[in-house]
Amino acid sequence: MKKLFFIFSVAALVFCAAFESAAAPRRRNYRRARRAAPAATPTAAASAPKPPPPILAAGRWSPEVLGAIDAFIREKGIGSAAYDAKSPPAAVIVLSDCGLEHDLGEAVLRKMVERADFKFDDEFWRIFPIIHGRIPVRAAYENFFPLPVSVWREQGSYRQYRKGFLKAYRDMCARQGRKECRMWLSRLLRGFTREELASLAKTLIKEEIGGAFGPELVEARPGDKDPVAIRTGLRVVPEMGDLVQKLSAHGFEVWLLGDEPREFAAAVSEEFGLPGERTMGAQVDFSSQTLKATGDVLDPFPFRGGKASTVSSALGRPPVFVIGAAAADIELLAFGAGLRVVLDRGDEALGRIARDRGWILQPAFAP
């Protein structure tokens, strides 16, 4: 019996060894096949089309907004099926606190006040409301102005004039609204010819572009407990400067829009690489006899619905691309169809409107 058990055991071992020997090559071949499969992947990847390079510099754009603008430029720009060279797609970019860091109108006002550059005659002072300090500001001005410019800053009357003038603007904005105080900026230019105004604006904006950038407290006296806070300097937002250049290169007709006098916008346009003719703003009325600003402002004034009217008058058609940053830009953003981008500064009401209308929100670019 033991002998038979031994014989069966040996036979079983021989059978198992033969089975494993036959099966082993198949397992090795399977492993080789699995390892070889990925070799086909590079060929497939090489045959896939490469995505086109991005048009805009990434900068601080959110990826979603960057992708949307790139796609829109390809869809509407030169080389696209929709492009018409006789009626190129128009793009409008709001200037103050959008295309520019800081406010263009306030920057020029600050410089003109600082240099006492207005035409200070009786008609000018009648434009300055009594309720906003006309009498003390005029008295302070008449005290320091006859002195040499080199000693103005040492005079208490100069500091009182400067603070009082800037405070009048701030108070008017706060009490009567942005439209009224921005119209006042235009009215204050009474007495300038168009050429004088254009030259002065260019000089002052160059100083602001190249000057100090940041906050300043304007005091009537040392230790003033109620100074007027202002912002100094102007800078082109780098992403906006790049955007203007890329839009122009792809056949878009790019325009800059402000609610300050158009001469101010024209003076800053070269910082974007655009001609002054590609700007829109408030239209100061000039006398046909004297050729000087009358102190009146023509319609439409570029505020709220007036922005859309101003753009319509200049372009003769709605823009396909608009970038704005404030509630005062809503009517402009709603004018026509196309890509609309809103710089989001935390205005919840504006954010809701933007989302409801399918406009794109881009986090505002911090200075």
Side-chain angles (χ1 to χ4, degrees), residues 275-299:
E277 294 76 20
R278 286 287 184 84
T279 58
M280 295 173 279
Q283 300 179 74
V284 176
D285 180 44
F286 291 92
S287 167
S288 58
Q289 285 78 39
T290 66
L291 304 182
K292 296 180 180 180
T294 65
D296 293 327
V297 185
L298 303 177
D299 289 330

Side-chain angles (χ1 to χ4, degrees), residues 150-169:
S150 59
V151 302
W152 280 3
R153 290 183 177 274
E154 302 169 11
Q155 309 303 310
S157 56
Y158 174 79
R159 292 192 293 268
Q160 292 161 14
Y161 146 84
R162 187 166 176 246
K163 176 188 172 179
F165 207 129
L166 296 175
K167 186 175 185 299
Y169 170 77

Side-chain angles (χ1 to χ4, degrees), residues 118-129 134 138 142 184 187-192 292-296:
F118 296 100
K119 306 288 187 180
F120 292 103
D121 58 12
D122 290 341
E123 290 298 320
F124 170 86
W125 287 112
R126 274 192 275 274
I127 295 171
F128 202 118
R134 176 204 298 170
R138 182 173 186 175
E142 291 176 347
W184 190 53
R187 297 186 64 212
L188 289 171
L189 301 175
R190 184 198 169 277
F192 286 92
K292 296 180 180 180
T294 65
D296 293 327

Side-chain angles (χ1 to χ4, degrees), residues 107-108 111-112 115 117 199-209:
V108 176
K111 293 297 292 185
M112 291 186 74
R115 294 162 42 125
D117 266 334
S199 176
L200 179 62
K202 192 169 185 178
T203 297
L204 300 185
I205 287 168
K206 282 288 186 185
E207 292 180 9
E208 286 294 276
I209 290 286

Side-chain angles (χ1 to χ4, degrees), residues 106-299:
E106 291 181 10
V108 176
L109 172 67
R110 183 183 69 83
K111 293 297 292 185
M112 291 186 74
V113 170
E114 184 178 287
R115 294 162 42 125
D117 266 334
F118 296 100
K119 306 288 187 180
F120 292 103
D121 58 12
D122 290 341
E123 290 298 320
F124 170 86
W125 287 112
R126 274 192 275 274
I127 295 171
F128 202 118
I130 289 179
I131 193 174
H132 292 305
R134 176 204 298 170
I135 294 173
V137 171
R138 182 173 186 175
Y141 163 78
E142 291 176 347
N143 194 359
F144 78 81
F145 188 74
L147 302 175
V149 175
S150 59
V151 302
W152 280 3
R153 290 183 177 274
E154 302 169 11
Q155 309 303 310
S157 56
Y158 174 79
R159 292 192 293 268
Q160 292 161 14
Y161 146 84
R162 187 166 176 246
K163 176 188 172 179
F165 207 129
L166 296 175
K167 186 175 185 299
Y169 170 77
R170 286 296 169 83
D171 288 349
M172 188 179 295
C173 290
R175 298 175 188 176
Q176 296 170 253
R178 183 177 175 94
K179 181 178 181 180
E180 291 302 318
C181 66
R182 300 301 274 195
M183 289 186 74
W184 190 53
L185 286 184
S186 296
R187 297 186 64 212
L188 289 171
L189 301 175
R190 184 198 169 277
F192 286 92
T193 65
R194 195 184 301 275
E195 293 72 21
E196 286 175 336
L197 189 55
S199 176
L200 179 62
K202 192 169 185 178
T203 297
L204 300 185
I205 287 168
K206 282 288 186 185
E207 292 180 9
E208 286 294 276
I209 290 286
F213 187 85
E216 180 186 354
L217 297 179
V218 179
E219 300 176 321
R221 66 193 65 82
D224 190 337
K225 298 190 182 304
D226 185 30
V228 174
I230 61 172
R231 296 180 295 177
T232 65
L234 285 172
R235 300 290 186 273
V236 174
V237 175
E239 288 79 3
M240 294 298 183
D242 177 63
L243 174 63
V244 168
Q245 293 301 307
K246 299 300 172 53
L247 286 170
S248 298
H250 284 78
F252 283 73
E253 188 178 289
V254 186
W255 292 76
L256 304 175
L257 171 66
D259 59 1
E260 45 277 307
R262 182 186 169 277
E263 287 75 13
F264 294 4
V268 82
S269 64
E270 68 180 54
E271 301 296 331
F272 289 86
L274 291 176
E277 294 76 20
R278 286 287 184 84
T279 58
M280 295 173 279
Q283 300 179 74
V284 176
D285 180 44
F286 291 92
S287 167
S288 58
Q289 285 78 39
T290 66
L291 304 182
K292 296 180 180 180
T294 65
D296 293 327
V297 185
L298 303 177
D299 289 330

